[in-house]
Structures are given as structure tokens and as C-alpha cells.
Amino acid sequence: MLLEKEKTTQQKLKKIKPFLPKQQYSVVSSDVDGSEYEFKDVVNRLFKAISTMPEVYDPTEKDKDEGKDEDEDTIAYLHYFQGGSDWFITKKASDENQRLAFGYAVLNDDLEMAELGYISIEELKGLNIDLDFHFEPATLGRIQRNLNERCHVVDVAEKEVKPNANELSLTQFVNDFGEGLLERVAEQ
């Protein structure tokens, strides 16, 4: 007979299964009954994120959220990734059989073309992507700032752009190599 803790873990696995790619589900669901089950924290974290995530309304109705744009305070609950592409899920389907979600997609680290929209969880899972087991729910504003740093986008209003410590400034270059070098370059 299963212990109450194991039943709870199995029930949580059933709830999060539709959001997990097959390869990750097979790893996370293996040896649930074992005494040294190592994915309990992951299952608990994903279960909590999925359970507390708001639902998407029927997209065939004129979207009930239409007047309320997703903004930087909107929380992303799940993060899928592959290479330089990221999908952050902010809302889940209201129907358990439908795996349509809403979120923020950044493809190939192209932040200029990143967008909010509907995302098919089933299509994502078919792309052999991974669900980030270590992602903690975060606001879209915080995610965008982290992506800007990862992609080396500098907001001049926020930061002063400073040269890398390994890079020479033009003044330092001229001082080190002499003005004669610039004259020779200008002549050519």
C-alpha cells in the first residue's frame, strides 16, 4: 500500500504531466515509490506553479482580457527553453483537455521580435524543448531585464556604458602606440 506522501506525489505528477515533455516526465515519474525519490521538490514546485497560474479565457469569445494588456507586473509561472529560445507561460487553458496557454516568446535571443500571444503546450513539447525545473515564477519585467543582460542589450538611460576592462579606449590606444600610427593609417 502506498504511503500518503507517495499518493500525494503521484497525484501531483498527474496534474503536471500535461505540461512536461515526454522525456522529462519519464525521468521525473520514475521511482516515485522509492525511498530516495529525488524529484519531490521539482514536482512540488511545478505543482504549485501550475495550480496557482491564472487561466486563459476562450479565445473564440472576444478576449475578456483584451482591455488589460500583459505588462511588466504580469507573472510567468513556467519557462520552456531550447537553445536561445524561451517561452514564458503566464496563463494556462481553462479546459484540462486543451493545452493552449498564453505567454511571452523570445526566439533565437531576438528581443526586438519577442511577443506575447497564445502558445500551444503540445506544439512546444513536440519541439523537444525542456521545461525549466529551476525556474521560480517571476514578473515579465524582471524576465525582460534578465534577457536584456543575457543578450547584452544596454539601456543607455539605465546604465552608463563602460568599456570592457580588456578593451583599450581610443585615447589609451593613441597614448600607447603614438600619434604616428594614426598619421600612417590616414595616409593609406
Side-chain angles (χ1 to χ4, degrees):
M1 182 173 172
L2 294 174
L3 299 172
E4 190 60 37
K5 283 184 180 179
E6 291 166 345
K7 280 186 185 179
T8 303
T9 301
Q10 287 183 344
Q11 290 169 346
K12 289 177 182 179
L13 275 169
K14 185 177 179 182
K15 174 93 172 171
I16 67 173
K17 181 180 181 180
F19 295 89
L20 285 169
K22 286 181 184 178
Q23 70 278 10
Q24 286 183 301
Y25 180 76
S26 66
V27 170
V28 169
S29 63
S30 65
D31 199 29
V32 173
D33 300 332
S35 61
E36 295 183 23
Y37 180 64
E38 60 186 292
F39 293 103
K40 185 177 178 184
D41 289 340
V42 170
V43 170
N44 288 335
R45 187 170 38 252
L46 290 173
F47 179 79
K48 182 179 179 186
I50 291 166
S51 296
T52 59
M53 186 185 320
E55 295 180 345
V56 172
Y57 295 102
D58 183 0
T60 59
E61 294 178 22
K62 206 58 178 150
D63 199 292
K64 295 177 184 175
D65 288 341
E66 192 172 315
K68 182 185 147 213
D69 289 337
E70 300 284 312
D71 60 15
E72 66 176 35
D73 293 331
T74 300
I75 297 173
Y77 294 86
L78 298 176
H79 172 224
Y80 292 92
F81 66 96
Q82 180 186 49
S85 297
D86 298 276
W87 296 265
F88 298 92
I89 308 301
T90 61
K91 296 179 183 174
K92 64 183 176 186
S94 54
D95 178 4
E96 297 230 359
N97 296 322
Q98 182 185 18
R99 295 293 155 225
L100 184 67
F102 192 84
Y104 181 64
V106 181
L107 305 178
N108 301 316
D109 285 333
D110 187 353
L111 298 177
E112 288 184 29
M113 297 301 289
E115 63 184 9
L116 290 163
Y118 290 97
I119 299 168
S120 167
I121 299 295
E122 290 303 317
E123 284 182 29
L124 284 180
K125 288 168 39 177
L127 295 173
N128 198 28
I129 54 124
D130 289 311
L131 178 60
D132 186 347
F133 285 169
H134 304 286
F135 180 75
E136 292 290 337
T139 64
L140 289 179
R142 180 173 166 209
I143 289 166
Q144 289 167 336
R145 285 188 295 278
N146 289 344
L147 288 170
N148 283 339
E149 289 175 16
R150 180 178 92 187
C151 298
H152 307 294
V153 174
V154 177
D155 184 353
V156 179
E158 257 183 48
K159 289 184 180 179
E160 180 183 334
V161 180
K162 296 179 182 176
N164 185 324
N166 296 328
E167 296 174 0
L168 293 175
S169 69
L170 181 58
T171 307
Q172 185 179 0
F173 179 81
V174 169
N175 290 339
D176 290 349
F177 297 101
E179 292 179 14
L181 179 63
L182 288 177
E183 291 169 2
R184 286 187 293 238
V185 169
E187 289 173 2
Q188 294 178 355

